[in-house]
Amino acid sequence: MAVVGAGRLYAAVAAGGFRRYATYRVATAAGVFTNTVFGLILAYTYIALWDERPGLGGYDQAQAVTYVWVGQGLLSVVALMGAGFEDELIERIRTGDIAIDLYRPVDLQAWWLAADAGRAAFQLLGRGVLPMVFGGLVFHLALPADAGTWLAFLVAVVLGVLVSFAIRYLVALAAFWFMDGAGVQQLAVLAGLFFSGMTLPLNVFPGALGELARVLPWSALMQAPADVLLGERTGFALLRTYAFQAAWAVGLLALGRLVQSAATRRVVVQGG
């Protein structure tokens, strides 16, 4: 019964996170417009680049342009530029309100994960679909025709959201040891934009840099889901992609719990 009750609680938190972001209709419309404009700029840039270097990174031009629109669709879903729960959590740590949260009979990490899941679900529907639809109307995209590939893509997106949450949760918890979490946030955003494949597909990164980028957790946010949708990860390669994403999610979430425990002890000692 306790498990059922906890499940209902976190489901309600996720639903609340969805409704919260759904109220920002003007911001959502502005975000869709921004993603679409940047998508156009990047798409034509990629077209020019792939005209000069056909087959770059193992993609043909249609796949490269598709990659652009997948990236614009997922940008807010995996919160590559922040604007998720972390700002609120850092503020609660800064003001000391986090002490109340830590003494509540709910798991802090699971609470914020549920809220972020609701946010991600809304962003997928509110800001993820429309740029992709626009890109499909303007450009020839290499989109799969079978439902199985789309389902596999959604699984990869969910795992990417988990990895993204785990990274941002650790970034937010760093505020326990720093006066301001803004610096750590900015570093995390820069790393995410570069190593996720948002700037350029990681497949085009040369040598050791490319090998390093592909094993870092940020590649699970965008590069992995994009390759699944583009048909680059099938069969055993798809299972390896899921395992890679899941391993980073489990490892980073476990690290988050350790840091959370250390932070709790810090709060208790200071409170005592």
Side-chain angles (χ1 to χ4, degrees):
M1 292 297 292
V3 174
V4 174
R8 289 177 178 173
L9 171 64
Y10 295 128
V13 173
F18 186 98
R19 289 193 299 270
R20 176 182 180 181
Y21 281 86
T23 60
Y24 302 131
R25 298 175 183 175
V26 175
T28 300
V32 170
F33 176 77
T34 302
N35 289 146
T36 302
V37 170
F38 275 99
L40 285 170
I41 295 171
L42 286 173
Y44 284 113
T45 302
Y46 274 38
I47 288 172
L49 179 58
W50 259 260
D51 277 340
E52 292 295 322
R53 297 284 302 277
L56 181 63
Y59 295 153
D60 60 30
Q61 190 176 88
Q63 287 179 310
V65 175
T66 305
Y67 184 94
V68 168
W69 293 104
V70 172
Q72 292 306 304
L74 292 182
L75 179 63
S76 296
V77 178
V78 296
L80 267 178
M81 301 186 71
F85 71 94
E86 56 272 26
D87 290 336
E88 183 177 352
L89 179 53
I90 288 174
E91 180 63 16
R92 293 189 69 80
I93 294 172
R94 188 187 67 80
T95 61
D97 291 340
I98 191 66
I100 300 173
D101 301 335
L102 291 172
Y103 283 111
R104 286 174 178 164
V106 294
D107 184 79
L108 184 70
Q109 187 185 60
W111 176 282
W112 288 106
L113 175 57
D116 197 58
R119 175 207 60 79
F122 173 77
Q123 297 290 17
L124 180 62
L125 297 174
R127 291 183 61 174
V129 174
L130 289 179
M132 282 285 292
V133 171
F134 178 86
L137 293 174
V138 177
F139 301 94
H140 171 64
L141 301 185
L143 296 175
D146 61 298
T149 303
W150 283 102
L151 180 60
F153 168 68
L154 287 176
V155 173
V157 171
V158 170
L159 290 171
V161 169
L162 282 174
V163 176
S164 170
F165 167 82
I167 293 172
R168 289 177 290 123
Y169 190 68
L170 284 168
V171 168
L173 292 183
F176 276 106
W177 288 272
F178 295 95
M179 293 297 293
D180 187 355
V184 180
Q185 275 186 294
Q186 290 172 0
L187 288 174
V189 167
L190 290 174
L193 290 174
F194 187 76
F195 288 113
S196 68
M198 182 65 199
T199 306
L200 274 174
L202 301 182
N203 300 348
V204 308
F205 283 24
L209 177 61
E211 294 176 5
L212 173 64
R214 285 188 287 272
V215 299
L216 292 175
W218 291 283
S219 68
L221 276 57
M222 187 168 294
Q223 184 70 54
D227 277 342
V228 171
L229 187 67
L230 292 171
E232 296 292 315
R233 311 284 179 90
T234 59
F236 185 67
L238 177 61
L239 295 179
R240 283 192 304 174
T241 298
Y242 287 162
F244 170 79
Q245 292 179 292
W248 271 117
V250 171
L252 290 172
L253 287 171
L255 180 59
R257 299 195 75 83
L258 290 175
V259 176
Q260 176 183 311
S261 297
T264 301
R265 290 193 295 269
R266 182 183 178 91
V267 171
V268 170
V269 169
Q270 290 180 344

